[in-house]
Amino acid sequence: MKTQIGIIGAGPAGLTLALLLQKQGINAVILENRSREYVEARVRAGLLEQNTVDLFDELNVSERLHKEGLAHHGMYLSFDGVRHYVPYTKLTKGRATTIYGQQEVVKDLIKACIERGIPIHFETTATAIDGMETSSPTIQFTQNGENQSLTCDFVAACDGYHGIGRKHLPKDSYNEYRIEYPFSWLGILAYAPPSCDELIYSYHENGFALLSLRSPTVSRLYLQVDNGDKIENWSDTAIWDELEKRLHTEGWNLQRGEIFEKGITPMRSFMIDKMQHGRLFLAGDAAHIVPPTGAKGLNLAVADVKILAKGFASYFKKKNIQLLDNYTKTCLKRVWRVQDFSNFMTYLMHKQAPHGSFEYHLQKAKFDYIQYSKAQAMTIAENYVGLKAI
Ligand code: APR
Ligand code: PHB
């Protein structure tokens, strides 16, 4: 097999990249380890920045997103039962966010790729990348138990945190940065109408809780739990009781319903400071992970491939390699900004120190500052909706 861009991974990064390339007349082939059913059912976060929605509009893949997605214009930040509203659309001159589950995004992108004739090989595992320093790198892969290869002009490793792309960078050629947080998120999906018109991020002395939603009938909620906690330790009633406690505010009720999906995910910040080597380029979770408190994972993946697609277009159309040469440098500006914001939101809203301690009071002072200072509210708002400039 031969193509211009060999893409490993049919997550948001790989699929969006293939569609962007096709728009520029550049051919790509996607190799995906899992089945179509598996990737379309994988439950993840669901908040899209304005930049992401704008890009999906440009790609003409946003029809269902606009029909079923829920536009949001502000959020509640709550501390010890006191809620503060951050009107982020007002603070950012009209920029909004949209709630639309990542698996719905993936379904729409796969459908568009297939309809537009972009080949996606599911249940196909990339095993090695050869010749990255030559002009025709090759992806070795297995399909139906057979070893095959895909020769390309460039390889885009959009293969997530556990993929093979990152492992093919020369070992000593980059720095790796990592924080493993001492807590995880227990997430549920439930048949319950939204209990609030906006998302609620809440600090409570028992730990953080987040109220989000998916549709007028489905809610998505999260609880901070200890690392090592097991989902079997949490009955549905215990989950709802704890959510009610942590999200409580005077005169407000939490709507309960049947829980149909639950799981625990560790919280981590991770990145490397090199996203390319020779003709291999990394994008999305393959190069960085952010804790979900800032709702940035998918948005950052899409921002990477937007830059990468521009680089490929400039190379194939103008024989100009400069954008590709600068790919890492261009991406890292946004990655570091988003790492900082995600880490800031995580420390702002999670319980880390004994209630009432010096650290607790510092955390509360940071929270209270949002209420006193429009500048601080605006800082949170512009980062949350996604900075346009980088
Ligand atoms: N061969 C083929 N496919 C692979 C291989 C491999 N060796 N290794 C991994 N993959 C596939 C995975 O099965 C997965 O479908 O690569 C895909 C990577 O997709 P994602 O993990 O969704 O990563 P990305 O596209 O970067 O999207 C980032 O996803 O993890 C969330 O929070 C994150 O929202 C963010 C988004
Ligand atoms: C979600 O709806 O899954 C969600 C929303 C906001 C976050 C994280 C997850 O910060």
Side-chain angles (χ1 to χ4, degrees), residues 15-49:
L15 294 163
T16 306
L17 177 61
L19 290 163
L20 282 166
L21 292 173
Q22 196 198 39
K23 232 180 136 200
Q24 302 281 348
I26 301 167
N27 294 322
V29 171
I30 306 178
L31 308 176
E32 167 57 51
N33 197 12
R34 304 283 192 167
S35 67
R36 180 174 178 181
E37 296 69 36
Y38 183 93
V39 295
E40 290 188 347
R42 199 162 38 192
V43 174
R44 283 172 168 172
L47 189 135
L48 309 184
E49 288 178 357

Side-chain angles (χ1 to χ4, degrees), residues 82 112 122 125-126 149 266 302 334 372-373 385:
V82 179
F122 290 101
T125 309
S149 61
V302 167
R334 175 176 286 270
Y372 311 140
S373 160
V385 298

Side-chain angles (χ1 to χ4, degrees), residues 169-383:
L169 296 176
K171 265 211 171 60
D172 298 324
S173 67
Y174 61 91
N175 295 299
E176 190 177 293
Y177 303 90
R178 183 190 292 274
I179 300 174
E180 305 284 347
Y181 296 91
F183 39 77
S184 302
W185 274 18
L186 184 162
I188 63 161
L189 278 167
Y191 295 116
S195 305
C196 183
D197 50 352
E198 303 285 18
L199 273 66
I200 308 169
Y201 292 79
S202 182
Y203 170 92
H204 182 273
E205 63 174 299
N206 286 8
F208 168 76
L210 168 60
L211 178 134
S212 181
L213 64 158
R214 284 291 175 272
S215 74
T217 52
V218 173
S219 288
R220 176 83 169 141
L221 299 108
Y222 299 93
L223 284 173
Q224 174 186 350
V225 297
D226 290 338
N227 287 342
D229 203 344
K230 297 263 177 310
I231 199 71
E232 303 80 67
N233 297 340
W234 288 86
S235 69
D236 289 3
T237 308
I239 293 173
W240 283 119
D241 287 350
E242 196 57 28
L243 284 166
E244 197 160 78
K245 223 179 274 168
R246 296 190 194 180
L247 291 163
H248 173 79
T249 199
E250 206 57 41
W252 177 82
N253 286 314
L254 178 65
Q255 306 271 353
R256 297 185 181 211
E258 185 198 335
I259 296 175
F260 62 92
E261 155 81 39
K262 54 181 175 178
I264 293 181
T265 320
M267 300 271 288
R268 113 172 15 113
S269 299
F270 168 82
M271 64 181 279
I272 53 175
D273 59 3
K274 179 178 160 101
M275 294 171 63
Q276 65 198 90
H277 178 72
R279 291 207 165 205
L280 167 68
F281 291 83
L282 268 56
D285 276 18
H288 39 68
I289 299 280
V290 286
T293 331
K296 290 281 173 247
L298 181 151
N299 299 295
L300 196 52
V302 167
D304 288 349
V305 297
K306 192 174 165 187
I307 294 163
L308 188 53
K310 266 194 197 145
F312 286 142
S314 172
Y315 175 80
F316 285 110
K317 288 189 175 164
K318 301 183 197 147
K319 283 283 160 241
N320 184 345
I321 194 85
Q322 205 172 345
L323 289 183
L324 283 178
D325 282 347
N326 287 339
Y327 172 68
T328 295
K329 197 174 156 208
T330 310
C331 286
L332 285 185
K333 270 192 225 159
R334 175 176 286 270
V335 176
W336 277 119
R337 175 87 304 284
V338 167
Q339 286 287 5
D340 176 50
F341 179 66
S342 305
N343 176 267
F344 166 83
M345 285 292 282
T346 301
Y347 283 136
L348 181 70
M349 300 312 304
H350 285 74
K351 184 182 179 190
Q352 302 134 78
H355 199 69
S357 64
F358 184 37
E359 288 82 358
Y360 158 85
H361 283 290
L362 293 179
Q363 194 174 338
K364 185 165 184 320
K366 277 193 197 75
F367 180 88
D368 289 343
Y369 187 41
I370 306 164
Q371 304 177 55
Y372 311 140
S373 160
K374 193 171 171 194
Q376 180 70 347
M378 208 181 264
T379 295
I380 291 178
E382 68 179 10
N383 280 278

Side-chain angles (χ1 to χ4, degrees), residues 50-181:
Q50 183 75 57
N51 288 335
T52 304
V53 174
D54 291 348
L55 185 72
F56 290 162
D57 285 344
E58 270 171 47
L59 283 173
N60 215 354
V61 292
S62 55
E63 197 185 321
R64 199 163 67 93
L65 184 161
H66 287 295
K67 234 185 264 159
E68 297 174 21
L70 304 159
H72 283 257
H73 304 287
M75 64 176 157
Y76 288 101
L77 298 178
S78 170
F79 209 96
D80 290 343
V82 179
R83 273 185 208 169
H84 179 67
Y85 186 62
V86 179
Y88 49 71
T89 298
K90 209 166 119 198
L91 291 168
T92 58
K93 299 202 180 90
R95 293 166 71 68
T97 63
T98 303
I99 284 285
Y100 190 61
Q102 185 172 312
Q103 74 268 43
E104 304 309 319
V105 170
V106 167
K107 276 183 211 162
D108 295 347
L109 296 175
I110 289 176
K111 184 166 168 274
C113 283
I114 290 172
E115 280 172 4
R116 298 174 196 183
I118 297 169
I120 311 180
H121 296 267
F122 290 101
E123 297 177 68
T124 298
T125 309
T127 51
I129 306 160
D130 298 331
M132 290 171 300
E133 286 149 11
T134 71
S135 57
S136 51
T138 302
I139 306 172
Q140 307 294 341
F141 64 92
T142 55
Q143 194 176 45
N144 300 321
E146 261 177 51
N147 296 330
Q148 297 188 49
S149 61
L150 173 65
T151 302
C152 353
D153 293 316
F154 294 93
V155 176
C158 304
D159 50 355
Y161 181 69
H162 300 287
I164 63 161
R166 198 172 64 249
K167 294 173 189 136
H168 280 75
L169 296 176
K171 265 211 171 60
D172 298 324
S173 67
Y174 61 91
N175 295 299
E176 190 177 293
Y177 303 90
R178 183 190 292 274
I179 300 174
E180 305 284 347
Y181 296 91

